[in-house]
Amino acid sequence: MDFLKLPERTSGNRTYGLTSVIDFGTPLGELKNILSDYGYLIDIAKIGIGSAYVTRNIEKKIELYKEYQIKPYCGGTLFEKCFYQNKIPEYLTFLRNLGIELIEISNGTLDIPLQERLQLIKQIQQDFHVIAEVGSKDTNKEIPISEWKEEINLLLNAGCDYVITEGRDSGTSGIYDQSGLINSNLIQELLKDLDSKKIIFEAPTPKQQMYFINEVGTNVNLGNVKLQDVLVLETQRFGLRCETFYLEEDECKLL
């Protein structure tokens, strides 16, 4: 179908407009069915928390994602656990053996000093594409906007492909408050001085996703998307849902 005037969407091997899903142990058979229908809508898949370490068929799951040109990686909690136990070399070997090329460097649970994270990024970026996360899972920890900006800039300058803004899979921390409301002032300030194409905004709920589509545009990078929500998200991106119905004309073309 090509008769509607819809927002222009990035496609193929996207560098922005990314949909990054979160996988909390989706059974392999179920995942095969989901990807056979919706794999073309997904760019990145995060194997959530530390589940990759205890998933017996993790090799098959990684192979399946890659079969659909989806880039898999392990959630930042597993990285932090390895950091805490001084097992980063073993973790890197684990990723290499799985054929995973993306690594998340985060400090959502641990308070890892920024300089240590920057140094680690410089050490591993020759072997991995690095995604770093900014923000805390602690809902009581407030980070000044100036610190958000500075940290994002330093992480990108250190060689990260993207920076993720913390939101958890529940959408109740980091860029959100405990009830899931978006810190719109923070987002506005980040968008003023930073390249949104290099930021992945964690947005696990449709309401949060619609906010970012309307605020940033059709091709905003969104993370922690539930596997079962990817088709609905794509309709949001194309202005085929009432909340995103009136997207800017300059984003549109006749498809």
Side-chain angles (χ1 to χ4, degrees):
M1 294 183 290
D2 58 2
F3 56 87
L4 289 176
K5 187 180 181 183
L6 299 176
E8 185 172 358
R9 187 79 171 90
T10 54
S11 60
N13 187 20
R14 283 187 269 253
T15 58
Y16 67 99
L18 305 176
T19 293
S20 178
V21 299
I22 187 163
D23 181 337
F24 278 128
T26 307
L28 191 62
E30 182 180 342
L31 184 62
K32 287 179 179 178
N33 289 333
I34 292 172
L35 296 185
S36 67
D37 283 341
Y38 306 135
Y40 70 101
L41 300 173
I42 303 169
D43 304 286
I44 301 173
K46 176 165 68 174
I47 313 299
I49 50 178
S51 63
Y53 193 76
V54 296
T55 300
R56 288 187 175 181
N57 60 354
I58 187 62
E59 295 88 355
K60 291 181 180 179
K61 179 169 281 191
I62 297 302
E63 289 174 6
L64 182 60
Y65 276 122
K66 294 172 77 171
E67 180 182 331
Y68 285 88
Q69 289 74 55
I70 298 168
K71 301 177 179 66
Y73 76 101
C74 297
T77 304
L78 184 55
F79 158 76
E80 292 184 48
K81 189 73 170 182
C82 293
F83 182 91
Y84 182 69
Q85 295 188 1
N86 295 313
K87 298 292 184 180
I88 292 299
E90 290 85 350
Y91 181 52
L92 299 180
T93 298
F94 172 76
L95 296 181
R96 290 190 190 98
N97 289 340
L98 287 174
I100 292 177
E101 299 177 355
L102 281 177
I103 183 171
E104 180 180 339
I105 305 298
S106 68
N107 69 327
T109 302
L110 295 179
D111 188 11
I112 305 174
L114 177 58
Q115 288 305 316
E116 286 191 49
R117 284 179 280 140
L118 293 173
Q119 185 60 37
L120 183 57
I121 290 165
K122 291 177 181 178
Q123 290 173 0
I124 66 176
Q125 64 178 312
Q126 299 301 319
D127 298 314
F128 294 92
H129 293 282
V130 184
I131 300 177
E133 187 174 62
V134 175
S136 174
K137 290 178 171 62
D138 184 351
T139 55
N140 295 315
K141 183 176 180 179
E142 292 190 14
I143 303 173
I145 292 175
S146 59
E147 287 188 22
W148 280 85
K149 289 184 177 181
E150 180 183 15
E151 190 164 325
I152 291 172
N153 270 318
L154 287 171
L155 290 166
L156 290 173
N157 290 335
C160 291
D161 289 17
Y162 300 96
V163 171
I164 300 170
T165 58
E166 174 70 72
R168 300 205 74 175
D169 60 284
S170 58
T172 55
S173 67
I175 57 176
Y176 307 100
D177 67 16
Q178 296 183 43
S179 65
L181 292 177
I182 298 167
N183 186 339
S184 57
N185 184 49
L186 168 63
I187 300 304
Q188 290 295 328
E189 289 299 317
L190 294 181
L191 293 174
K192 283 181 182 179
D193 302 318
L194 300 169
D195 182 1
S196 64
K197 294 178 181 178
K198 292 292 186 178
I199 302 176
I200 299 175
F201 299 97
E202 289 192 337
T205 71
K207 182 177 181 180
Q208 292 163 350
Q209 294 158 13
M210 287 182 285
Y211 167 84
F212 283 107
I213 291 170
N214 281 314
E215 199 65 36
V216 183
T218 292
N219 290 305
V220 61
N221 301 319
L222 295 174
N224 276 3
V225 178
K226 296 178 177 63
L227 276 163
Q228 64 268 27
D229 290 345
V230 293
L231 183 63
V232 173
L233 171 57
E234 201 67 15
T235 66
Q236 295 173 20
R237 290 185 185 274
F238 276 122
L240 295 171
R241 182 166 174 159
C242 66
E243 290 86 352
T244 59
F245 195 89
Y246 298 104
L247 289 173
E248 292 297 326
E249 286 291 317
D250 58 6
E251 286 194 49
C252 298
K253 72 170 185 178
L254 188 62
L255 296 180

